[in-house]
Each structure stands twice: as C-alpha cells, then as structure tokens.
Amino acid sequence: MKKILTVTLNPAVDKTYTTHNMIVGHVNRMRTTENIAGGKGVNVTKILRQYGCEVAATGFLGGYSGRFIAEELERKGAECRFVQTAEETRSNMNIIADDGYVTEILEPGPKITEEELVRFMEQYEKLLDECGLVILSGSVARGIQPDIYAELIRLAAVKQVPVYLDSSGESLKLGIRTESGAKPDLIKPNWKELEYIMGHRIRGREEIIEAAGFLHREGILRVIVSMGSKGLISVTGDGVYFAKAEGIRAVNTVGCGDSVVASYAIAAVKGESEEQAIRRACAVSAANATTIESASIPLETAEALWNKIIVEKISG
Ligand SMILES: Nc1ncnc2c1ncn2[C@@H]1O[C@H](COP(=O)(O)OP(=O)(O)OP(=O)(O)O)[C@@H](O)[C@H]1O
Ligand SMILES: [Mg+2]
C-alpha cells in the first residue's frame, strides 16, 4: 500500500512536570520536566512508525515548538510535510504533584491565517496523490472553520482515498454528515463523542450498538466506539464485535484513542480481518495505557496481551 497521511491541525509539545505540590498564586518549583511531541495526529504518526508503516505527516507547525515536533517525527522516520505558521505551535503542560493532584495548562495554539490555510489545502491535494489512506485527528486550530474535515473528506473521495476521522464536537459532526455526501471510511468516537453526534444520552452497550449501527447504515463503513477501560465495540459490514483487555494496570491513558486509530490503519495495511483488527486495537491501546509516555508502545507488551484479549462476535 502507498504511504499513510496523518493530518494534525493543532499539534502540541506536551510538557510533563513533577513537583512536590502546586499552589496557585505561589512560586512553584518543578522537580523534573519532560517534553514530547504531541497532538492526536502526531501520536498516530509515532505509533505507525513503531510498526514500520510509511507515513507522511501534515498540518501546521510554527516556531521553536514546531521545530521540536518536526525533529522528533523525522528522527522516528516520518516524512514531515507541515505548513509553517507565523505563530508558535502550542505547548500543553501537565503538572503531576506528589499529593495526587494533576494540573493541566493548555494553550489555545496559533491562529491560522487565510494564506496559511490556502497553502495547507494545496499541500493536502498534492499529498492525496502520494498516499493510500488519510487519518484526520484531533481538534481544529483557531482561524479554521469546523467544516474543514468535511472538505478534506470530500477532496479525498474525489481521488478515491479512504479517510479515517477521529475528532470531537462540531468538526466530527460536520465530518460525518457532509453536504457532498462523502463519508469517512472509519470513525472512532468515544462514548461522549457518540452521544454528541447522536444528540442524545446513550446508556449501556445495547444503545451504543444501536447508535453505531445507525451511523454504519448512513454510510460509514466502520464505526469503532471506544469505552475506555470497558473496551471497544466495532460495527462494520462484517457484523458487530466487542473486545476488552483484562487485568490492565493503567498509568497513563493519553493516546489510547490514537492507538486504536493507528491499529486499524496497520490492520488495513496488513489486510487483516475485522476480528484481527479489533484484537490489535485493543492490545495496542491497552499496552499504551500501561506506560507513562503516551504513544510510545512497548511492542512486547502489546504482543504479550494479544491472546489475553477477549473478542466476542455479537452479531452479523
Ligand atoms: N484504563 C484502561 N485499561 C485498559 N484499556 C484501556 C484503558 N483506557 C483505555 N483503554 C483502551 O484504549 C481504548 C481507547 O480509549 P478511550 O475510550 O479512553 O479513548 P479516547 O477517549 O478517544 O481517548 P483519547 O482521545 O484521549 O486518546 C479503549 O477502548 C481501550 O481499548
Ligand atoms: Mg479520542
């Protein structure tokens, strides 16, 4: 298969600090700091590289933190095809205190100018000719309309390139009900995102399957609903599957959703069945939960989990 294209419109440098305690209005000295390239599409890129997939990454990067992200991705062997922004890429701070409190400080990220958006659209069209699958992940940057994913899906459909969409809020909603009628091939809402798309509360597994089935019948080939520690449900042309990893000691679940999306792309590259794909997604995302660093998955942990994943075919 041709290479995979990941799109991250609002990447971030994720900074993790540890400290004794954190007091608002005081000087807070940190004990350790660690910086890694983050943002959902960046996480997907890193996981795909760990599994040896050819990946091109695009979106927006600016300033020092932009260069930091590009360098990390290039070191991992991804092709960086980002558009440079005048404003600096955001940094997100996660402050972990010994007393158990975790404080997050999230920057809004750069405002994308019209000219930068035009350059991105040109770059995207060019990349569509080189890639066999597009993965759109995460929030939309400031200055960009929430219907951008709908447009990116339409452009990919014209060139018959399948698209996976993992987003939330309006950009997700508009991305699955596009005016052009083009649909993503796969979406991976979590429980809350599924409720948002459907516009009503969803209680329990039966109602998740009902909602996912509805979206599948609307034309999304694969609807994968993630339920955190409760596992995964997939509704596809091959029926309904449920998968769950038992006995996981989760230490950091950031990037678990991205692990699921990356796993489905890896399964597509390898030509795996729906059952194999959900098993892979469940093992890789559970392995991700067991490590402090997000999107850096110990392959041995994922392999060891493989046979411990419970996969159930519910119908179809
Ligand atoms: N505590 C956990 N124990 C075991 N597996 C987990 C745990 N948390 C997440 N996972 C695995 O990761 C998958 C995705 O997690 P989740 O539903 O939290 O995604 P998400 O809400 O999209 O996360 P994010 O967008 O922050 O990456 C789950 O379906 C499950 O397979
Ligand atoms: Mg998610």
Side-chain angles (χ1 to χ4, degrees):
M1 183 166 116
K2 287 204 245 175
K3 65 193 169 202
I4 297 168
L5 175 64
T6 63
V7 177
T8 319
L9 298 175
N10 201 9
V13 173
D14 286 331
K15 293 170 165 286
T16 305
Y17 297 95
T18 58
T19 185
H20 178 55
N21 59 2
M22 172 81 188
I23 309 168
V24 176
H26 283 248
V27 173
N28 291 277
R29 289 187 197 285
M30 301 293 123
R31 191 167 53 231
T32 61
T33 78
E34 199 171 340
N35 300 334
I36 60 162
K40 291 188 190 298
V42 168
N43 289 340
V44 172
T45 308
K46 292 201 278 188
I47 299 163
L48 291 174
R49 282 305 303 147
Q50 268 187 285
Y51 281 86
C53 298
E54 290 301 311
V55 196
T58 189
F60 299 97
L61 287 179
Y64 285 117
S65 32
R67 274 208 293 285
F68 176 86
I69 292 171
E71 275 166 24
E72 186 176 328
L73 290 182
E74 270 160 12
R75 223 174 18 248
K76 292 193 151 79
E79 191 184 321
C80 279
R81 304 280 290 272
F82 288 86
V83 166
Q84 290 300 312
T85 53
E87 288 185 26
E88 174 99 10
T89 292
R90 68 190 167 138
S91 291
N92 289 336
M93 278 158 256
N94 201 9
I95 304 166
I96 304 169
D98 296 340
D99 57 16
Y101 284 104
V102 176
T103 307
E104 278 191 77
I105 298 170
L106 308 180
E107 293 183 10
K111 184 154 192 260
I112 306 304
T113 66
E114 249 170 70
E115 188 265 334
E116 287 161 355
L117 183 59
V118 169
R119 271 196 286 142
F120 167 76
M121 296 307 285
E122 286 167 5
Q123 176 77 302
Y124 178 76
E125 289 245 37
K126 215 183 299 165
L127 282 161
L128 280 178
D129 296 327
E130 302 171 27
C131 297
L133 171 66
V134 176
I135 303 180
L136 308 172
S137 306
S139 58
V140 169
R142 286 190 301 146
I144 301 179
Q145 297 303 315
D147 65 355
I148 178 133
Y149 287 144
E151 177 62 4
L152 298 181
I153 291 164
R154 186 187 70 77
L155 291 169
V158 171
K159 298 193 175 175
Q160 294 180 337
V161 182
V163 178
Y164 294 2
L165 173 64
D166 178 22
S167 176
S168 56
E170 279 306 291
S171 66
L172 170 61
K173 206 172 186 171
L174 296 171
I176 61 172
R177 304 227 171 88
T178 58
E179 273 176 29
S180 69
K183 297 272 183 189
D185 289 73
L186 180 149
I187 58 171
K188 193 227 62 66
N190 60 26
W191 199 315
K192 256 198 4 244
E193 288 156 356
L194 185 65
E195 288 184 327
Y196 189 86
I197 305 170
M198 300 304 292
H200 58 75
R201 281 287 306 276
I202 291 173
R203 293 174 204 83
R205 217 166 86 166
E206 284 313 306
E207 290 187 17
I208 287 183
I209 294 170
E210 207 177 290
F214 173 80
L215 295 168
H216 173 66
R217 285 191 300 277
E218 273 196 336
I220 301 167
L221 297 179
R222 298 154 100 196
V223 180
I224 319 299
V225 184
S226 67
M227 308 175 289
S229 60
K230 295 192 176 70
L232 280 165
I233 283 176
S234 74
V235 177
T236 71
D238 184 37
V240 181
Y241 285 91
F242 166 74
K244 188 174 182 297
E246 292 290 354
I248 299 302
R249 283 190 52 209
V251 294
N252 178 11
T253 60
V254 174
C256 276
D258 308 323
S259 309
V260 172
V261 175
S263 297
Y264 270 89
I266 295 163
V269 169
K270 290 180 181 278
E272 292 176 347
S273 67
E274 287 303 331
E275 187 189 334
Q276 285 169 316
I278 197 169
R279 184 180 296 279
R280 174 181 290 283
C282 201
V284 173
S285 58
N288 179 66
T290 64
T291 50
I292 296 276
E293 188 180 340
S294 47
S296 170
I297 293 154
L299 298 185
E300 320 77 59
T301 315
E303 298 296 324
L305 275 171
W306 219 252
N307 295 317
K308 292 192 195 139
I309 306 287
I310 300 160
V311 181
E312 218 182 289
K313 187 160 191 180
I314 295 175
S315 70

